[in-house]
């Protein structure tokens, strides 16, 4: 089964918008994780899901090889890199959006390498729009 480009774009935009909606609640309280971060994390999750579900159609899975597992391993592993970008100073937390963008970049890389260059490009454009337009200060 494959999805049309329109369906993929809709899914990515909805994921980013719903993530932003969740983050919207966090903004007025001055939380370290707000609109942009939630939007980027939701978008990254959508990209990893699309990569895992549809991105390896040209690979031949066998009994001991499942290329879709790559997406899951990258998603988990890159968390360690992102964690290094997060700094806490008293009650202030910095670097969470940076960590989210690192995580998303990994998802985009997986998607592009799995043959989903267009999906990766759309996700990148949505991320850039989120990062630029949802800036709180």
């Amino acid at each position: 089964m494959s999805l049309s480009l329109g369906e993929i774009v809709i899914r990515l935009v909805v994921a980013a918008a719903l993530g932003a909606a969740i983050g919207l609640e966090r903004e007025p309280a001055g939380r370290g994780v707000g609109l942009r971060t939630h939007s980027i994390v939701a978008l990254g999750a959508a990209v990893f899901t699309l990569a895992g579900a549809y991105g390896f159609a040209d690979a031949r899975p066998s009994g001991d090889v499942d290329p879709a597992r790559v997406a899951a391993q990258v998603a988990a592993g890159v968390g360690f890199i992102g964690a290094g970008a997060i700094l806490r100073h008293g009650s202030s937390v910095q670097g969470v959006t940076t960590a989210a963008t690192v995580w998303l970049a990994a998802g985009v890389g997986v998607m592009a390498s799995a043959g989903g260059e267009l999906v990766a490009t759309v996700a990148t454009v949505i991320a850039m729009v989120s990062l630029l337009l949802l800036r709180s200060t």
Side-chain angles (χ1 to χ4, degrees), residues 82-114:
I86 301 172
L87 301 172
R88 181 175 177 179
H89 303 284
S91 63
S92 174
V93 178
Q94 296 177 326
V96 179
T97 301
T98 299
T101 58
V102 167
W103 185 73
L104 172 64
V108 166
V110 168
M111 191 72 232
S113 67

Side-chain angles (χ1 to χ4, degrees), residues 8-88:
I8 290 169
V9 170
I10 289 169
R11 289 179 185 199
L12 291 174
V13 169
V14 167
L18 293 175
I22 293 167
L24 183 63
E25 180 275 331
R26 312 283 296 161
E27 286 290 321
R31 304 284 188 226
V33 180
L35 201 73
R36 294 186 326 152
T37 304
H38 281 82
S39 178
I40 295 299
V41 169
L43 178 61
V47 171
F48 278 114
T49 300
L50 289 169
Y54 304 104
F56 296 93
D58 58 345
R60 291 187 213 145
S62 67
D64 61 339
V65 176
D66 180 6
R69 291 179 55 201
V70 172
Q73 298 303 318
V74 171
V78 78
F80 289 102
I81 296 170
I86 301 172
L87 301 172
R88 181 175 177 179

